[in-house]
């Protein structure tokens, strides 16, 4: 019996009215508010904060947050649809939307106490606050259990020291959800999650990274210099931070899969349009099998990526264990994203290599998808480990 049949026997392929509505809203917003500025933001590496305020007003920054906390109250199917539509236009905005929703905001939603939820979720869900999630360090990417950022208890406070790296919204984030070591090295119960507010003494913004792609999604260092955080800011139980982070990454992989699909679709749709317009040897290049077969491969891989991703989202909605499905979706969709955007540049030929045409940006943005929230190699570790249990 297949993994799909075992874990998710009833699959409904019908697109709900909510999904259609959210997708259309995100599509319209992206065309109106994002498309006119994507290259300006990309060139200047500007994080378009005002756009995220508007996204918050539409509910796009609290898609999964219940209405009682000021969110949209939707599930993963609507969330996937929204990220795909935003990312078809700009991967950077899609990435920041994904990081805000599925990492920082979702961590608080999943593991914070009621008082913390009431305090932080309404501002995060409406875009009044931008969220950052800090796990990665300069020397610990995939090997997160060797983290060096420490939190030592001092009465009613914890004193945090060290640096996190490659943090989305590391400068702009109003709330930083940080995982720090409170126990022994390599102890999976030796790390704790803390909610740290911008303005807390000792919380510093470090170097902003100059990136190949996703340039309008801010990536920066976060430094903790004797940062004193009150005991009330511990998220969940002391010692549960790493376990929480791994569960958040399960869901976060759905986000990156959706981001990958959006970028791939953007590159694919541009390629189809161009192939019908561009003529060589007296006919549109889409008439040539070399181009037509590329488009067929691109479409098939995107379709497969969507099915894997919506399956993982459906299981997440049902609160079923979806570690392997999330990893498969993220792995396949992100690799597809790179392949499709690469083929898109090839279809455009010389024009694919210049910034006047859209596919060079899809190409640059795509590579991050195979790296962020667990590399393709780590996804294969997760998948094989689950298979061999």
């Amino acid at each position: 019996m297949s993994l799909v049949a075992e874990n998710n026997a009833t699959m409904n392929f019908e697109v709900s009215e909510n999904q259609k509505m959210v997708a259309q809203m995100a599509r319209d917003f992206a065309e109106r508010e994002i498309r006119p500025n994507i290259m300006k933001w990309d060139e200047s590496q500007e994080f378009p904060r005002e756009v995220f305020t508007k996204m918050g007003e539409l509910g796009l920054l609290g898609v999964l947050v219940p209405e009682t906390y000021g969110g949209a109250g939707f599930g993963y199917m609507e969330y996937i649809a929204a990220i795909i539509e935003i990312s078809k236009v700009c991967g950077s905005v899609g990435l920041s939307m994904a990081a805000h929703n599925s990492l920082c905001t979702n961590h608080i939603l999943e593991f914070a106490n009621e008082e913390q939820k009431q305090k932080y979720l309404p501002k995060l869900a409406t875009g009044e606050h931008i969220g950052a999630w800090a796990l990665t360090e300069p020397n610990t990417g995939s090997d997160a259990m060797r983290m060096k950022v420490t939190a030592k208890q001092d009465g009613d406070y914890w004193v945090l020291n060290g640096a996190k790296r490659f943090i989305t919204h590391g400068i702009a984030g109003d709330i930083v959800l940080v995982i720090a070591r409170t126990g022994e090295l390599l102890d999976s119960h030796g790390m704790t999650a803390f909610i740290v507010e911008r303005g807390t003494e000792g919380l510093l913004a470090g170097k902003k990274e100059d990136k190949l792609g996703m340039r309008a999604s801010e990536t920066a260092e976060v430094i903790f210099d004797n940062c004193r955080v009150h005991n009330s800011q511990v998220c969940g139980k002391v010692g549960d931070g790493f376990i929480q982070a791994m569960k958040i990454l399960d869901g976060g992989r759905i986000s990156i899969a959706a981001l990958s699909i959006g970028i791939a679709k953007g590159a694919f749709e541009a390629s189809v349009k161009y192939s019908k317009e561009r003529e060589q040897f007296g006919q549109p290049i889409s008439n040539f099998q070399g181009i037509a077969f590329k488009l067929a491969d691109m479409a098939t891989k995107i379709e497969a990526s969507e099915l894997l991703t919506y399956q993982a989202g459906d299981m997440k909605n049902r609160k079923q264990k979806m570690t392997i499905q999330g990893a498969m979706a993220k792995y396949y969709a992100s690799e597809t994203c790179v392949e499709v955007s690469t083929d898109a540049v090839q279809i455009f030929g010389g024009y694919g290599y210049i910034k006047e045409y859209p596919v060079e940006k899809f190409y640059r943005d795509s590579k991050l998808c195979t790296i962020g929230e667990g590399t393709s190699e780590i996804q294969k570790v997760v998948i094989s480990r689950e298979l061999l249990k």
Side-chain angles (χ1 to χ4, degrees):
M1 185 179 285
S2 74
L3 287 163
V4 174
E6 280 183 38
N7 291 296
N8 200 15
T10 57
M11 293 190 72
N12 180 6
F13 292 98
E14 187 178 351
V15 179
S16 72
E17 287 304 312
N18 278 343
Q19 270 177 267
K20 291 177 187 175
M21 178 193 72
V22 170
Q24 187 63 54
M25 178 186 68
R27 191 179 305 129
D28 292 343
F29 179 84
E31 290 297 332
R32 185 177 68 251
E33 302 288 347
I34 299 172
R35 190 178 294 281
N37 297 300
I38 53 175
M39 292 313 293
K40 176 172 79 80
W41 297 334
D42 185 76
E43 291 290 332
S44 64
Q45 295 204 82
E46 175 188 348
F47 174 64
R49 182 66 176 83
E50 71 286 352
V51 167
F52 284 83
T53 300
K54 292 176 182 177
M55 289 172 75
E57 291 167 0
L58 289 177
L60 292 172
L61 296 189
V63 182
L64 302 168
V65 176
E67 293 180 58
T68 50
Y69 300 116
F74 290 124
Y76 272 83
M77 308 308 262
E78 293 84 2
Y79 177 54
I80 291 165
I83 288 185
I84 288 173
E85 291 302 329
I86 295 292
S87 305
K88 273 167 64 174
V89 174
C90 181
S92 293
V93 178
L95 174 62
S96 277
M97 175 188 167
H100 173 93
N101 273 284
S102 70
L103 298 179
C104 178
T105 303
N106 202 42
H107 198 131
I108 292 171
L109 177 64
E110 292 283 338
F111 298 110
N113 60 41
E114 187 59 31
E115 186 179 344
Q116 291 167 336
K117 288 179 184 179
Q118 294 281 359
K119 182 177 181 182
Y120 295 112
L121 287 178
K123 290 182 178 179
L124 288 165
T126 57
E128 184 179 341
H129 280 173
I130 294 293
W133 193 76
L135 176 67
T136 302
E137 297 182 5
N139 295 307
T140 58
S142 301
D143 190 10
M145 282 180 63
R146 293 183 193 271
M147 68 174 59
K148 294 181 179 177
V149 170
T150 59
K152 298 189 183 299
Q153 195 157 17
D154 180 18
D156 290 337
Y157 286 83
W158 294 82
V159 182
L160 278 66
N161 279 291
K164 297 288 185 179
R165 194 166 191 190
F166 302 136
I167 307 305
T168 304
H169 311 143
I171 297 168
D174 302 286
I175 304 296
V176 180
L177 193 298
V178 59
I179 317 296
R181 188 156 58 80
T182 51
E184 295 302 312
L185 198 68
L186 300 179
D187 179 4
S188 62
H189 291 281
M191 288 154 274
T192 302
F194 298 88
I195 304 168
V196 188
E197 297 179 20
R198 186 67 63 185
T200 302
E201 189 175 352
L203 172 63
L204 307 171
K207 174 192 171 191
K208 181 176 177 177
E209 304 296 347
D210 186 2
K211 306 196 299 286
L212 168 72
M214 302 291 196
R215 289 169 62 81
S217 177
E218 178 190 276
T219 305
E221 191 177 32
V222 176
I223 299 164
F224 300 91
D225 182 11
N226 290 319
C227 181
R228 291 177 65 80
V229 179
H230 193 266
N231 202 49
S232 62
Q233 299 302 100
V234 171
C235 186
K237 293 180 182 177
V238 171
D240 278 0
F242 183 78
I243 307 300
Q244 292 172 8
M246 294 305 103
K247 290 178 180 175
I248 290 300
L249 285 172
D250 269 358
R253 285 168 185 148
I254 295 174
S255 296
I256 301 300
L259 170 69
S260 302
I261 293 163
I263 293 170
K265 280 191 168 188
F268 171 72
E269 289 174 9
S271 298
V272 171
K273 183 173 183 289
Y274 181 80
S275 72
K276 291 177 177 179
E277 295 169 352
R278 171 71 166 169
E279 291 192 358
Q280 291 287 274
F281 306 102
Q283 58 186 309
I285 62 171
S286 58
N287 286 359
F288 296 105
Q289 202 174 71
I291 300 298
F293 278 17
K294 273 193 195 307
L295 294 172
D297 283 339
M298 293 158 86
T300 302
K301 288 176 180 178
I302 290 169
E303 192 79 8
S305 299
E306 279 200 274
L307 289 169
L308 280 168
T309 304
Y310 276 114
Q311 177 195 217
D314 180 58
M315 293 179 70
K316 186 72 174 168
N317 278 346
R318 296 167 190 259
K319 302 193 185 307
Q320 294 177 339
K321 186 175 188 294
M322 39 64 67
T323 300
I324 195 167
Q325 287 78 13
M328 283 179 169
K330 196 271 184 189
Y331 167 52
Y332 190 80
S334 65
E335 292 291 339
T336 291
C337 179
V338 173
E339 290 172 23
V340 167
S341 60
T342 302
D343 281 345
V345 172
Q346 196 69 17
I347 288 169
F348 273 72
Y351 293 109
Y353 205 67
I354 59 176
K355 292 182 182 293
E356 187 181 341
Y357 289 80
V359 291
E360 70 86 31
K361 183 177 183 296
F362 289 125
Y363 179 71
R364 288 186 290 109
D365 287 348
S366 69
K367 191 56 198 166
L368 184 277
C369 297
T370 67
I371 299 169
E373 294 197 37
T375 62
S376 291
E377 291 73 23
I378 287 294
Q379 303 315 313
K380 288 194 266 191
V381 168
V382 171
I383 293 163
S384 59
R385 187 181 290 155
E386 290 292 314
L387 288 173
L388 297 170
K389 272 184 178 176

